[in-house]
Structure formats: structure tokens, C-alpha cells
Amino acid sequence: MKRLLSVLIIFSGLFIMACSDSSTNGTDISLSDLSSDASADISPDDTQVNDTEPAFIPFMPKKPENPYIDRPFIEEYNSNPSVYDESQQELIILADTSGSSYYPYPLKVSKKGFFITEDGKERLIEVISEPENLISAAYINEKLIMITKSDIIIHDSKSNTLQKSHYDEILFNSLVCGNNQIYILTDKGIGTYDEDKITLPDLSGNYNIKTAYESEKFLFAASENRVYAFTRPFAVDSKPDFSVELSGDKSAGIIAGITGDILLPENCDLIVAGSERLLCLNADDVSKAFDIKTPEIFTLGRVPLANPRYVTKMWDGGFVVATDGGAYRITDRDGFLEWRVYNYERWVASEDVRHILVNPNKELSTLYFATAKGLSYVEFKRETLEEKLKLFVERIMTRHDRDGAVADSHLIKRGDLSTNIPWDSDNDGSWTSYWLLAECFRYKVTNDPIAKANFDKSLDAMLRLRDLTGTDYFVARAVIRKEGCQLDDCDNPDDGKWYTSPDGKWWVKRDTSNDEVIAHIFMMGHAYDLCADESQKERIRKHIAGIVGGLIDHGYQLIDPVTGKVTTYGQLDPKYVNENPSGKYGDGGVRSAEMIAGLNLAYYMTGEQRFLDAKKFLMQKHHYDDNIENLWDYPFHKGNSDGDEMGTEAFFVLLRYEMDPKLRERWYNGWRKTYENALKYHQGAWWEMVNAVVGADDYKTDVVARWLRFAPVDMIRWNMHNSHRKDLIPPPVNYYKDAAIRSDGHIIPYNERRCDRWNTDQFRIDGGMGGFIEMDGADVLAPYWMARYYGFIVKE
């Protein structure tokens, strides 16, 4: 009662404002639920507060007028290609063997032969020996046709025989499947294979045909710089109806591939992929000429990869291009045309992509890549974000749950999830906090008892980080149960500073940083208000009061229980914040925000006057309030993603639990400077959702949904390579050197770059951890389920 009276006297009128700003959000939570949860059991000495008395209501954003509807979209699943690196199968082409009773689909062809599977084992059927190599292959009527520069080799699957024909006066370039026959492309023109008959062009021909595509009206063919149109039906002695030399400002460079009947980016009879550019050609059979176009998305600086090898039609009306730096395709995402890149290591076993196979007539057909290190493929599935993210929950429960704590796991064999080993981290509290929040929000939205059980288990894990330290105030980085331990370092962990818990049953990791402290403060408020039962609320109150009270008692420093000295990054005190160069010019604003956020939350939960007194002392004597409002202006804070994450977690608490409207306005000003100058450019789901939840009107749920759609289902930390791309420009804000965005203004999608959490910027283009680490993905779940809880994303 004492706490309530003081709050009412000091902040009279605030409760009415808070109630008027709050609203229901389209989920199963109501404002009355939140008020009841927030006001129950707030006394640290077990004194119960009457739930019917008025109490401070944490800030709630307005109900969105136009929430994002979670409709099905096309998700892409990779083949985990690097698992198969050991085989090192260098492929040159994939043959479409649909309908064959003998050849597997797709049929993999190497320089010396093709691969079949017998008794569950794959083996190479060698068809040639040195010195020549196969350069192309095609399938028709249970026969596999293969060529070298001077040989045609036919494998008859019915008789399991090989027929080889050698030609001295003609050079073979490629084989192309037509509607009813195979086209043999040569330096003399176009030949055919049909009804077991090889027909080659006249040796006097001078059409050096490299690639071809058959449409309903024409057989299009191309040499290095000229495109021909032959009226169908084609005969070997046919002359082209018309042609065009691609030169000057209409040059594509050396033509590597053509495909046709394209709808994206616009109607094109023919797409020409050249060494210098892409072109769109339309054939006019009346004027006997080509109309040549260069859509804006084809212009230099927009196309992502150079050096094309092959191009083929995609089932969505677009096309996909193989290059020596990966593959890319054009795609329409909610009316926005953009390039989708398939890069090493997540999507292709090697950047050296030689050939692509896809069924353009079957929606969601698998996309196959023949690379210098074997076969890779992408499978497509139409699903909602909620359906996609079920796999994230399953992954965490299956491979990342360590007595409720959540973090990365390690893989003994690169990319092989069956070799998974759970792993402790320096930041168990930070990473677990995202999982705990996500499951709390998911429980409030769906009432799923599994989500509540996960919340309960991880809340125990978070509280254990203080309970096992032997102190009231200290929180560990991580703890490891000794009995039954199945981690990598059960016997004597050496990846940091450890000691044994007072009960002798746990390893406790010490030298805790301020990022762990703010992680507990950041998530415990929502956990307390929304999902905790009465006994859990009592534990949370004591937990937060112990941590924040310990900081007050130790001069606003986190003291290591073994050394009795401040931890390496445990300074939240005025001297560090305002005098030490690292604080004065670097993260003093962030640490000020963390400290005041903790004091606000501790007072909200306990009503103890000492937390208000400490807040008043730090603001009036040491201008922590100014530091918070000017957090972004610290010269060495800029470009610090770790600081951005910790600052955001602090603002998340400050803007929810600040009782003084004038102070809340100042905190909001501090948040907005950080958001406007840095975070909005990241185009990240978490930053945008925090912006929405703290009360901004310019939140972007389309950005949230786009980022979530691109989050890779496979969260293995592959080495990813983008610096060779041609569509990159410097980022709009200064972060790391290895940083860029696409020339169309979008960040590189998450599934095309390295896996990182929110303490790392969205602009990194290269790097990773070699495929030996799997992230848990809780940081992907948190913004989605927070958006669902607050009504910014709704089910269709």
C-alpha cells in the first residue's frame, strides 16, 4: 500500500493516460488481464497488495489498424550441400531423365561418365577415358546421349550398351532437349538426334551454335554474339528466318545461354545471358526482326553475379542463371521484382555452378544445381510464417535445450546435424532470454501447453543463473550440471572463468558482463506480467531485486564472487560512465540506460523506495538521464551492433515501465535517435518490432515479415560469400569494413549471408563459422511471436 500511495501522489494522472493509450491487440490477452498480472504480489517481503486497488499499468502500444496478415509464401529449403563435400563429384551437367525406369532423376553427369545407384550405393558408369572429357548430355526414350568435342556416345539403358561415333571435321558444343528430339549444337550449325538417328549439319555450314531454346514458333539459337530464329518444325538444312548481331550498346558480351517464354521481369520471347549483361529479345515474325530491351533490373550494378554459364526457365515465369560465382534468379515478391542469389556454402556445394535443372511446367518444382563439388538442390514449400517457425521450436527443443538454457550447438562433422553436441556460451542468459520471451508470447497467443512448459523450464534456467552463484546479487554467464553432463567440457571447463556452486553439483561461469545483466532485466518484465504464476512472480521479484540491489550495494558495479573485484565489463557506476574514456566516449549512454532500466523494473516489481532513490541519485548527481537521451551521440557508439542490442533491450524496459511521462518522453527521444540513425537501416524484424511495441507510429510490419521470410530454416553458421557480387553498395551507416547493401536499397536477405544474432549488424556480407555451429534461432522466434501477441501480425 505504501508503494501505491507514493506512486499515486507523485505521478497523479498518469494512470488515466496509460489506460487510454492501452488497447486489446487481437490475441487472447486483454488489458484487464495485463493489469491484474502486473499488480499482483509486488511486495518483496511477501506482503500482498490488493488486486482491486489501482496500480501502474505498463505501457501498451495502440492496436494496429492495418496489421500484417500471415499468408502463405514460398519458403526455400536447402540440401545441406556441404555435408557431401567428401565425395568431391565434379559435375558438368544434369540430364532430365523424367519417366526413365533406369536412370535416376536428375541424372548426374561428370567429365567421364554418369552416376547410377545400385543397392543403395552410387557408382560412376565410365564411358570415356583420357584424353577427352564429356561436355554435355541429354536423355530421350531410355537413351542417354553424351558428347565430347569430337565424339557422340549413346548409352542404351535397355541393352546396357554403349555406341560411340567419332568425327574429325566437326566440333560439338552442346546438346539441347527439344520437344521431340535432341538438338546437337556444333561449329557448323545444328544437328539432331531423333528416332535413333543422328543427323549432322553440312560440313560447309558456318553457324557456330553454342546454345539454343525451342519455343512454340521458333527454334532460337545463338553463337557468341548473334541470335538466330529458325521457324519450326526445324530441319537440319533449315536456314534462319532472321537473326541479329548483338553489338555496340546492344551487346551482351559473349553469349553463354538463352531461354525463352519469360514473364519476369516482363514478357520476353528470349532471355540472353552474356558475359556483360542480360538482354530481353522479342521476335516479330512479321517484320522478321528482334526487338531488344534492357529492363532496369538488367542494368549494370543491379545484376548480382557475372560470368554466366547457363540459363533456364523457372516455373514462376522467371529464369535462373548458373555462374562461376553461384546462381541467381529473378523473382516477384509481393509485387517487388528482385534477384535471388544461391551462394556458397548454404545453397551450393561450390560457387562453380555448371548447369541447372528445373521443371518449368510444374509449380514448386525442385531446383537442381550441378557444381564442381557435386549436386545441390533447393526445395520449395508454400507455408505461413507460423508454419515455418514450428521447425525453429522443434530445433531448440531437440538440439539446444540444456536444462532450459538455450545457445548455439556444435557439430563434430561439418553440416551434419546428427553429430550435434550442446554447448554452453558466454551469454546463456542473453540467448535464452529471446527463447523465453518467444515462448511466453506464443503461449499467450495460442494457449499451447508446450509453450508454457518451455517457458517454465527456461525461466528456471534464467533464475538458476543467480541461485547457483552463492550470492544474492551475482548472475552467472552459464552453468553446467556435473551429473549426467553430455556437453563437450563436463569434467573441467576451460573456456572462461569457472567455479563450483556451493552445493557442489554445478559448474558456474563467472566474470559476467553488463550484457548478461541487461538480458535478465530485458525479459523478466514481460515474463512477470504475462506468463508467470504466483510462485514464479515471487521468484522473479527476488531475482531482479537481488541483481539490481546488489549493483546499488556495490557502487553500481557487478562484483565477481570469487575475486571480490568488479568484473571485466561489469561497470555501470558514475565514474566509468562519465569519466572513463570507454564510457565517456563509447558506451556510457548504454550502461546508463541499463542501470536506470533495472531500477525502474525493480521498483515496479517490489515498490522498494531504495530503487527510486538510486534512480534519483544517478540522474540528479550524475546526469544518467542526459546520457540515456543522448545515447546515440557518443562518438564511439556508432557502428557498435553489440551496443545497439543492449541499448535496445534497455529502452524496451524503460519505455514500458517508466512512470514519469516527462522522463518517458526523454527515453523515447533517445530511442528514436538510435532508431533513426542506425537501426531502421538494418531492415531487421527485431528492431522494427521493438519500435512498434514502444509506441512508434512509423513501424514497418512489412519489413518485419520480409526479414522473417528470409530467415534461413537451416540455421547452420555456414561460411557465406557475397563480396564478389556486382549489385552491392556501401551501407547507409558506418559499421564494419565487410559491409554492404544491395544497390536496390535492400539488405542482402538473411538466407544469403552469415547467421548472426541481433548483436551483429545486418550489413556483413562475408564470413561465418565453417558449418560447425548451429544457431538455435530463438532470436527469429521472438519478433514473430511478439508481433502476434501485440497484434501487428495476425493469422489469415
Side-chain angles (χ1 to χ4, degrees), residues 134-187:
L134 294 177
I135 59 174
S136 189
Y139 165 83
I140 187 170
N141 299 331
E142 292 294 357
K143 291 183 175 62
L144 182 64
I145 318 304
M146 298 162 280
I147 60 171
T148 69
K149 281 294 184 182
S150 56
D151 299 312
I152 296 180
I153 304 164
I154 301 174
H155 180 262
D156 188 330
S157 65
K158 294 179 180 179
S159 61
N160 195 23
T161 58
L162 285 173
Q163 173 189 339
K164 181 177 180 180
S165 303
H166 182 77
Y167 302 86
D168 287 324
E169 298 182 359
I170 193 169
L171 294 177
F172 301 113
N173 292 321
S174 185
L175 298 175
V176 172
C177 286
N179 294 332
N180 299 300
Q181 60 188 347
I182 293 174
Y183 295 106
I184 305 170
L185 312 184
T186 80
D187 66 336

Side-chain angles (χ1 to χ4, degrees), residues 118-242:
E118 293 178 340
D119 299 325
K121 295 183 178 180
E122 188 178 73
R123 69 184 183 94
L124 174 67
I125 305 297
E126 190 169 294
V127 298
I128 62 169
S129 57
E130 300 294 347
E132 288 199 278
N133 294 320
L134 294 177
I135 59 174
S136 189
Y139 165 83
I140 187 170
N141 299 331
E142 292 294 357
K143 291 183 175 62
L144 182 64
I145 318 304
M146 298 162 280
I147 60 171
T148 69
K149 281 294 184 182
S150 56
D151 299 312
I152 296 180
I153 304 164
I154 301 174
H155 180 262
D156 188 330
S157 65
K158 294 179 180 179
S159 61
N160 195 23
T161 58
L162 285 173
Q163 173 189 339
K164 181 177 180 180
S165 303
H166 182 77
Y167 302 86
D168 287 324
E169 298 182 359
I170 193 169
L171 294 177
F172 301 113
N173 292 321
S174 185
L175 298 175
V176 172
C177 286
N179 294 332
N180 299 300
Q181 60 188 347
I182 293 174
Y183 295 106
I184 305 170
L185 312 184
T186 80
D187 66 336
K188 305 299 183 185
I190 303 174
T192 60
Y193 177 83
D194 187 20
E195 298 180 355
D196 299 334
K197 181 181 180 182
I198 298 173
T199 306
L200 296 179
D202 190 309
L203 296 181
S204 64
N206 59 358
Y207 303 108
N208 188 11
I209 303 300
K210 300 286 190 178
T211 181
Y213 172 79
E214 187 175 33
S215 70
E216 290 186 5
K217 289 184 178 181
F218 298 102
L219 172 64
F220 295 110
S223 62
E224 287 190 348
N225 63 354
R226 181 175 287 274
V227 177
Y228 304 89
F230 297 86
T231 301
R232 292 187 58 217
F234 174 82
V236 171
D237 58 355
S238 296
K239 302 297 183 184
D241 273 20
F242 52 95

Side-chain angles (χ1 to χ4, degrees), residues 53-82:
E53 294 185 8
F56 168 73
I57 299 175
F59 176 83
M60 288 279 286
K62 296 177 182 178
K63 181 178 180 180
E65 295 182 0
N66 297 298
Y68 185 92
I69 300 173
D70 186 8
R71 294 190 174 95
F73 66 101
I74 296 175
E75 180 59 66
E76 300 184 25
Y77 292 79
N78 72 337
S79 58
N80 203 0
S82 291

Side-chain angles (χ1 to χ4, degrees), residues 615-627:
K615 176 181 176 181
K616 180 179 180 180
F617 167 75
L618 292 175
M619 291 194 303
Q620 292 186 354
K621 299 294 185 180
H622 300 287
H623 56 81
Y624 272 40
D625 49 344
D626 295 333
N627 297 346

Side-chain angles (χ1 to χ4, degrees), residues 3 43 66 84 168 276 303 371 381 449 568 606 629 682 762:
R3 174 246 178 179
S43 174
N66 297 298
Y84 308 108
D168 287 324
E276 295 180 7
V303 179
T371 83
K381 182 180 178 181
T568 304
T606 68
E629 189 172 12
H682 293 242
Q762 304 288 295

